[in-house]
Amino acid sequence: MNTHPPMAKETATDAPADAAVAALPTQAAAIMDGISALAAKLPFPVTVACAIRPLSLNSLSQIEHAYLRDLGSGPRRKQWRLGRAALARLFAANRPPPGSAGTPQQAQWSLCHTDDLAIAVATTERDLAIGVDIEAPPGPSERSRRLFLSDREQRWLGMLSASTRQSATNRLWALKEAAYKSVSVPQTVVLKDFRLRTACLEHGVADCAAAPGASCFYLTDDVAGTAVALAYCRLQADAAPGPIAKKA
Ligand SMILES: CC(C)(COP(=O)(O)OP(=O)(O)OC[C@H]1O[C@@H](n2cnc3c(N)ncnc32)[C@H](O)[C@@H]1OP(=O)(O)O)[C@@H](O)C(=O)NCCC(=O)NCCS
């Protein structure tokens, strides 16, 4: 059963993103523009929405209220409500249920957030799954590079000048997170499983070493130090559910 939620009419067609960008702080607007520019390069339509204010408590559904209660009192609450606000721009009241990201039924949208900004993307292409990520400075530490980069990718980073290395690291992180969101279920795949075919940050293909045949196309950019990335993979209609279930 396809449970992809219908997009809110006003955002799917007239995308109020431009109006939203006008009111955004400069860096948030630049990031929104950066993601929109990447989306425009994809060979299928993608709607992009952002939020800088959490969705109001009054607008949350009962299920969302219950989910929020379980999040406790930390910063995650605000981030999660920011994400809900971005999803509300895409789907209005038909936004996908909390916790459904990464499930096979919810492949055609993706979300990322910082403390102050959430970006959501969605496509109506039902044979594709997409992922989005942003990585603000300082990004992953030197130590954590070993955890998400292959030896080859670490060697490649090592050859870069110190001034470009941090930006490249952040872009690698963002693209792997976007790739992860577009193909995997969390318990079975880690970021390190995604291997770039070529040492190219702008665009390319990342293969998931843990799931032969699971590859995704990615695009990244550096927006004033913040890495932005989009990824998508083509769904296989015959993909059998298994330890690594591709979204279908
Ligand atoms: C799941 C993961 C991508 C979330 O990333 P994050 O930086 O914590 O948060 P982001 O703002 O980028 O994205 C959050 C959103 O991702 C989405 N998400 C979570 N799990 C997902 C999945 N399996 N597939 C697709 N989207 C997913 C959710 O919409 C979430 O929003 P929410 O607040 O409404 O729940 C991250 O935990 C991860 O990278 N896991 C991979 C495991 C791994 O390799 N860890 C080692 C790193 S060294």
Side-chain angles (χ1 to χ4, degrees):
M1 185 175 70
N2 197 330
T3 58
H4 176 64
M7 285 193 199
K9 248 197 181 127
E10 70 276 20
T11 52
T13 51
D14 305 329
D18 291 347
V21 166
L24 288 175
T26 311
Q27 179 66 357
I31 291 169
M32 174 72 181
D33 283 348
I35 299 264
S36 298
L38 295 183
K41 291 179 186 167
L42 294 178
F44 53 90
V46 172
T47 311
V48 185
C50 73
I52 54 169
R53 285 185 205 86
L55 192 63
S56 76
L57 292 173
N58 289 342
S59 303
L60 295 179
S61 68
Q62 278 190 352
I63 293 173
E64 289 174 325
H65 271 292
Y67 193 88
L68 183 63
R69 268 195 301 278
D70 288 347
L71 290 181
S73 57
R76 171 93 173 102
R77 284 176 72 85
K78 183 187 170 196
Q79 289 198 357
W80 182 78
R81 281 174 58 201
L82 273 173
R84 288 283 115 188
L87 289 176
R89 284 184 179 275
L90 290 183
F91 301 113
N94 292 316
R95 53 191 175 271
S100 59
T103 62
Q105 292 80 15
Q106 302 289 338
Q108 284 95 6
W109 64 272
S110 182
L111 180 65
C112 60
H113 38 54
T114 65
D115 287 342
D116 308 306
L117 173 71
I119 302 266
V121 298
T123 177
T124 50
E125 296 287 310
R126 289 170 194 268
D127 63 337
L128 296 175
I130 59 174
V132 64
D133 197 61
I134 56 184
E135 184 63 22
S141 66
E142 185 89 35
R143 195 178 149 271
S144 64
R145 284 178 200 169
R146 286 197 303 278
L147 298 174
F148 80 97
L149 295 173
S150 68
D151 292 345
R152 183 165 160 257
E153 291 158 354
Q154 288 181 65
R155 277 198 303 278
W156 175 61
L157 272 188
M159 292 188 306
L160 299 178
S161 68
S163 59
T164 54
R165 194 175 305 136
Q166 191 60 53
S167 164
T169 306
N170 291 3
R171 286 171 76 170
L172 281 167
W173 176 273
L175 85 81
K176 290 197 177 201
E177 289 238 336
Y180 173 89
K181 290 175 186 176
S182 78
V183 304
S184 73
V185 289
Q187 294 83 356
T188 50
V189 176
V190 292
L191 300 185
K192 198 169 184 169
D193 291 328
F194 291 92
R195 309 276 163 84
L196 274 64
R197 277 192 199 171
T198 55
C200 180
L201 288 171
E202 281 71 30
H203 57 84
V205 175
D207 299 307
C208 183
S215 302
C216 62
F217 183 80
Y218 64 82
L219 292 163
T220 81
D221 200 359
D222 181 319
V223 178
T226 294
V228 296
L230 277 180
Y232 72 89
C233 74
R234 203 157 282 284
L235 299 169
Q236 294 164 2
D238 58 346
I244 296 174
K246 287 193 74 184
K247 293 172 178 173

